[in-house]
Amino acid sequence: QEKLDMSTYPVESIRNFSIIAHVDHGKSTLADRLLEITGTIAKTDRNKQVLDKLQVERERGITVKAQSASLFYNHKGVNYLLNLIDTPGHVDFSYEVSRSLSACQGVILVVDANEGIQAQTVANFYLAFEAQLAIIPVINKIDLKNADPERVEKQIEKLFDIPIDECVRISAKQGTNIEKVLQKVIEKIPPPQCNTADPLKALVFDSTFDHYRGVIANIALFGGEIEKGHKIVSAHTKKRYDVNEVGILTPNEQPTHKLYAGQVGYLIAGMKEVTEAQIGDTLFLYKQPVEPLPGFKSAKPMVFAGMYPVDQTEYNNLKSALERLTLNDSSVTVHRDSSLALGAGWRLGFLGLLHMEVFNQRLEQEYNMSVILTAPTVPYKAVLSSAKLIKEYGKAEITIINPAQFPDKLSVSEYLEPTVLGTIVTPHEYIGKIIVLCQDRRAVQKDMLYIDEHRVMLKYLFPLNEIVVDFYDALKSLSSGYASFDYEDAGYQAADLIKMDILLNGNPVEELATITHNDKAYATGKFMCERLKDAIPRQLFEIAIQAAIGKKIIARETLKAYRKNVVAKCYGGDITRRMKLLKRQAEGKKLMRKIGNVEVPRDAFIRVLKRQTDK
């Protein structure tokens, strides 16, 4: 394979940009066309979402990982190097988007001519706007018969203050007007501000693990140059490496002689350990230390779930699979955890439910690991009031991830729950239903704005635990799929939280304890008792399944005992014979219930703790 010479592309002819948009507005399809036009991939009918390489992405038709590719394009006699990053559109992966923007100087904001501006379009626009990037608005799917580009242009002008004449109308599927997008990229987006004469300074913005070559880091060079044989140091771990190979991604790896300032590429440097290629790390030449780049603020997990191996012997394999997958997906947080019923495992923090499902699917597909995932919970906080506890924890405010650590009401001045600021964009005919849905979820309305005569943008403050499981599904089904939803973190607020215990014949079962809001306690308790009644096998004595808050029982289900038909041998005769036999049986059962203890089988736990998909 011929190595490319990258020195022919000086800084002024480099453009780094990413494509951002709402889900399904055509980012990856636009990326395909850009790759075809610049001759990076051959033109065939088979090019569908070339940059979505993971099996999950192929199956679900969504982008999960931001992927980069370098394009070569000749514009007015000058050869340009364009580095494109295709980003995900779901709210769960907005961390990927913000990371990709750090390696760019501009963005293409794609809006569907049919759907108009959606919640995620707004969120991604503000991400790019705050990063002070050049923004090129592109209206896609103009070949659809319901397309209304004029309306979309007005929306863009009203919401984002971008003049109508700057919008480019394209059809990525048919390839209409794509050349114009490339010309806009070259004219509008500034080249990176850096110099090859400076010392080497490279930002690691993504990394993957290869079984044969170790860690492959995707880097953006902010100064200097790098080639095979250079000795580099990581600012984060202070370890030294020898560079084995550098190159660019055209989406496949293409080795080059050197990489220069302003370019984006990959680097293989014999990093064996998964933890070494920290995303957001700065690399520099040995003996030429530089000021590290600011890096990324770490992602804030919104949803926590326990993950346990189905069989404890698999623990070590699962551990190495988790380490490799968290290298590729750095927004997952991992804490060791163990449970009496499920054995040793981890408590993982995800950015949302879709993120959790995709992570689980990738574990199964890429590492052949089947795991038990418990129902998702959110992190609560408690402000302690008793001096003894404050001394024990070393601080007055503690975070509660596991219900077992929930402190007693007497020693706490207030409990706090996480909140999010949600943005809902919907056609106006569904407003009534959506407002009712939000009020059911204890949400507070903050703002309501008409984007144009048909669409409304609602802003609500939600408690996170109300939207974490099924809010999105409920919203989609209420609005026939037209409403879109996006949220951002809004800190903690005081809430009336309680810990609910589940008792079997009066004995608490500690793995089934949950933290819930006082208003929702009764419904949750009843639901848990009903599920347990289905999951626990019947015994020879009666089992009372109760949900309790402190000493107060709020819900109960009774699992009846198996019983022998003791009166089968009575045939006619006096009633007292029957009564005597039944009474003797009842006494025996009573004695049995006193001494019998209920063993909850493991699969019953799994059925109750697992996420309910069949609700």
Side-chain angles (χ1 to χ4, degrees), residues 465-539:
N465 65 346
E466 292 292 331
I467 62 167
V468 85
V469 180
D470 59 351
F471 176 77
Y472 190 66
D473 304 346
L475 179 72
K476 281 290 188 200
S477 57
L478 272 185
S479 64
S480 321
Y482 282 116
S484 58
F485 177 65
D486 176 79
Y487 59 83
E488 58 192 87
D489 189 39
Y492 280 75
Q493 69 176 20
D496 184 6
L497 300 173
I498 46 172
K499 177 181 173 187
M500 189 173 69
D501 286 309
I502 301 287
L503 314 174
L504 295 181
N505 279 354
N507 303 322
V509 182
E510 110 170 23
E511 295 85 37
L512 297 177
T514 50
I515 301 172
T516 166
H517 194 270
N518 207 347
D519 305 345
K520 300 273 172 135
Y522 174 70
T524 318
K526 190 142 183 54
F527 179 66
M528 284 289 276
C529 289
E530 283 168 0
R531 286 195 68 171
L532 265 174
K533 186 181 177 183
D534 296 339
I536 295 179
R538 281 173 69 183
Q539 311 279 349

Side-chain angles (χ1 to χ4, degrees), residues 6 45 69 98 102 105 109 117 142 148 193 210 236 339 341 360 386 396 404 407 409 449 500 559 563 593:
M6 299 302 286
D45 298 340
S98 61
S102 65
Q105 281 76 43
L109 180 69
I117 286 178
I142 55 169
D148 190 353
Q193 302 290 320
D210 183 303
H236 180 75
S339 120
N360 192 15
S386 83
K409 205 163 192 169
L449 169 81
M500 189 173 69
L559 194 60
R563 34 187 290 243
R593 185 171 167 192

Side-chain angles (χ1 to χ4, degrees), residues 51 80 371 455:
L51 291 178
Y80 286 93
V371 293
R455 300 181 80 78

Side-chain angles (χ1 to χ4, degrees), residues 232-241 276 281-284 286 289-290 292:
I232 54 168
V233 183
S234 144
H236 180 75
T237 58
K238 305 282 183 287
K239 287 192 177 173
R240 270 169 54 187
Y241 304 102
E276 291 174 30
D281 195 359
T282 308
L283 304 174
F284 54 84
Y286 182 53
V290 292

